[in-house]
Amino acid sequence: MSEELSSIDRVQTLLRAHAYVADRALSTVVYLALKLQRPVFLEGEPGTGKTEIARTLATALGRRLIRLQCYEGLDASSAVYEWNFAAQMLAIRAAQATGDAQAIKDTLFGPEFLIERPLLEAMRPQPGGAPVLLIDEIDRTDEPFEAFLLEALSDYQVTIPELGTIKATEAPIVILTSNRTREVHDALKRRCLYHWVDYPAFQRELDILTARAPEASATLSREIVAFVQRLRSEDLFKKPGVAETIDWAKCLLALDVVELSPEVIADTLGAILKYQDDIARLQGLEASRILDEARQSLAPS
Amino acid sequence: MARYADLSIPEDGKLVDNITHFARALRRAGLPIGPGRVRLAIEAVAAAGFARKPDFYWTLHAVFVNRPEERQVFNQIFRLYWRDPRYLEHMMSLMLPAIRNVAEEKAAESAAKRAAEALLDGAQAPEPPQSGDDSDNTEIQIDASQTASADERLRHLDFEQMSTQEMADAKRMLARLHLPVRPLKTRRLRPSPTGRRPDWRASMRAALRHGGEMTRIYRRAPATRWPALIVLCDISGSMSQYSRMVLHFVHAVANRRGQGWSKVHAFTFGTRLTNITHHLRSRDVDAALNAAGAQAQDWQGGTRIGACLRAFNVDWSRRVLGQGAVVLLISDGLDRDDPALLGHEMQRLHLSSRRLIWLNPLLRWDAFAPRARGVRAMLPHVDSFRAGHNVASLDALARAISDTDDHGEKARLMAMLND
């Protein structure tokens, strides 16, 4: 393990230096994952920065980021490897024509015809050290694939019948994320360090926003965060995540807004709320009431 | 942190012991923790150090907690345990036998009750009719015809008008009913001789066996899977008799292997929404329904359909309706809340489910008209509207559930609504 990650504090500082504001709990989990070479299982509402941590880690450590986006029906051939069958077929035909049968026999199931997919790629040594493997939205796959992942994640190896077992020389840094649209099986979770990524508290969200959208004025940032925090306590169908806060701030900056007002909020509500029901509720008086309350919560400090 | 001073030397085994005991305490509190986790916890603590209490907390948290709902339990036990390990041990040892006894007693009680019923039934069963010297053949024939007509009568008898004995017979009939369903196509492929996509992997393997001569192209087609069934059952006062019977039916459906449905989730609602899914897994139908009833706690209370549907939409719909689920809503639609809210939540439920079927026992009356505000608000947002008051109607549901063209009585009642 590299020098800059030899303690929890250093992990936190390093992430911070790359514009990711992690709380102590998340830093601890990341530190443990690196030290014990265990996958991290991050669960939480959408937009709380689960995917982002993988990206930041990869940049901060100077590693390659390999991303496996999960979807229903994802299977081994699109996650691990596939043979380039068309090329193999052509090679066989060519060999038949030239009578060079033995040569083709040796190379047919060799690296030349192997198409590597994310999981296998992650097992390969990469320049700059083991890569960061992001298995995103694991809750979207079906259960057979989850079971398939068990081997890959506990021993960091994959088995290809024609080539044998390929084991990673250096364990990749694995981050799994889930939005909890369904429960992921315990067997998979048991192999990981678990962390629930919650909505951040006011100060941390403000730190995140300052790190991500530094061009926003301090006053505007505070107003934005206070408003979003207040909004999360409302009875909404989908509460805005941190990603939405950042989007919204950027959106307001693009419109040269210096101060929130009910009209501005009404115009840009689509950046923070993604359901028509929620938007309809927030139109008009509701928005100005929440804005007032948010301003009041800012007043004493 | 003075109280960790004595923990700071791993070699003396004290920390290891403490973590092991802590893991045991968590396990007793219901967290699924195996020996592997304990080992990992020790490794993790050794890696992270324990100079600071928050780090120690989050280290153990990362290892032992697996679900968001476990965080609370972990938090409480952590506080209790690391204040004084023996204190918690003591508490647990005081409490556990009591808990265990209660649980055992409860199980015994339910079993004993049924055993007693079984014995009593035997004792009170009428003597076999003295058939005199009639030949066996005729007697069997008469018996059979009587049973058939009794069954037929029972099939059409309203749940509410049944005697206890009839209820028991009806439950047995319900347990035999099926809810057949059509499978859904997925993006996952499986080998199929008539599939449209060539399976190069399989074809190549076969070709290699013949020295590279491709004799046949293997094919693949989308695999199929079964949809999930979500049951939302109204258990308010006016519905209790029906909902009990329907839940019997749902229990049978949930526990029949190989009948289609990938998963069966059940929720009850009255004044609030309760997830009773895991109770349905209990093999014993009475135990399952008792447990469900104990958890729901609003049997025969009032009805707030809109609010309960909202609770379902917010907390559960994205988790259980994601994969093409069929929703079975059992309610009389008599709601005292705001009809606008109810209509709105019904619409959302409809939009997120594959098929929404409403079973309403009130529909048994020919004169039923959508006059109640609740019914008027809900009706436009269902795919099918059916009666659900006797065995025959549930049987009909079984036939209609996978028929996408089946709308039940919806069209007729919608016409009345628009008049």
Side-chain angles (χ1 to χ4, degrees), chain B residues 64-127:
Chain B
F64 287 134
V65 174
N66 252 339
R67 290 158 191 273
E69 54 270 23
E70 290 168 5
R71 291 183 294 168
Q72 197 64 33
V73 178
F74 178 87
N75 187 20
Q76 284 172 0
I77 295 197
F78 185 90
R79 280 185 190 176
L80 267 177
Y81 186 86
W82 296 101
R83 189 186 300 149
D84 179 2
R86 279 156 309 173
Y87 174 69
L88 185 73
E89 274 295 296
H90 183 63
M91 290 299 287
M92 290 295 240
S93 66
L94 277 183
M95 278 171 63
L96 270 185
I99 294 168
R100 204 183 304 130
N101 281 349
V102 170
E104 274 167 9
E105 244 168 52
K106 264 192 177 166
E109 199 178 87
S110 141
K113 204 170 141 198
R114 305 182 92 215
E117 271 174 10
L119 286 174
L120 271 175
D121 273 4
Q124 291 176 342
E127 292 288 308

Side-chain angles (χ1 to χ4, degrees), chain B residues 140 208 251 265:
Chain B
I140 285 167
L208 289 178
H251 178 268
H265 294 276

Side-chain angles (χ1 to χ4, degrees), chain A residues 71-114:
Chain A
Y71 56 87
E72 195 197 328
L74 179 65
D75 59 1
S77 64
S78 35
V80 187
Y81 75 99
E82 178 72 300
W83 291 107
N84 190 345
F85 292 113
Q88 280 177 325
M89 218 61 219
L90 275 175
I92 291 175
R93 289 295 175 206
Q96 276 176 342
T98 57
D100 194 11
Q102 190 55 44
I104 191 70
K105 213 173 148 192
D106 298 335
T107 58
L108 198 53
F109 284 107
E112 202 182 324
F113 296 104
L114 186 68

Side-chain angles (χ1 to χ4, degrees), chain A residues 24-25 31 72 74 82 85 89 109 142 162 180-181 183 189-190 192 194 196 235 237 277, chain B residues 37 47 52 55 58 62 65-69 71 188 201 204-205 208 225 318-319 344 348:
Chain A
R24 189 79 187 172
Y31 167 77
E72 195 197 328
L74 179 65
E82 178 72 300
F85 292 113
M89 218 61 219
F109 284 107
D142 27 31
E162 297 85 355
R180 208 165 180 241
T181 55
E183 213 62 75
K189 284 180 162 180
R190 230 175 29 235
C192 309
Y194 179 86
W196 174 266
D235 183 21
F237 194 68
D277 302 355
Chain B
R37 297 254 98 180
R52 290 177 53 182
D55 292 354
W58 287 114
V65 174
N66 252 339
R67 290 158 191 273
E69 54 270 23
R71 291 183 294 168
R188 191 175 274 271
R201 191 182 281 229
M204 278 299 291
R205 289 243 167 81
L208 289 178
R225 66 172 175 79
R318 272 172 293 207
R319 287 159 70 182
H344 188 75
R348 179 155 291 293

Side-chain angles (χ1 to χ4, degrees), chain B residues 144-182:
Chain B
S145 71
Q146 268 179 347
T147 317
S149 71
D151 273 5
E152 202 47 40
R153 196 183 72 84
L154 198 59
R155 271 171 59 80
H156 294 282
L157 190 62
D158 201 303
F159 288 143
E160 206 151 58
Q161 295 158 2
M162 285 179 179
S163 68
T164 320
Q165 181 57 46
E166 285 167 336
M167 198 85 96
D169 290 340
K171 281 176 188 170
R172 267 194 292 281
M173 289 173 83
L174 285 178
R176 284 198 301 270
L177 290 187
H178 288 252
L179 263 191
V181 65
R182 270 190 221 152

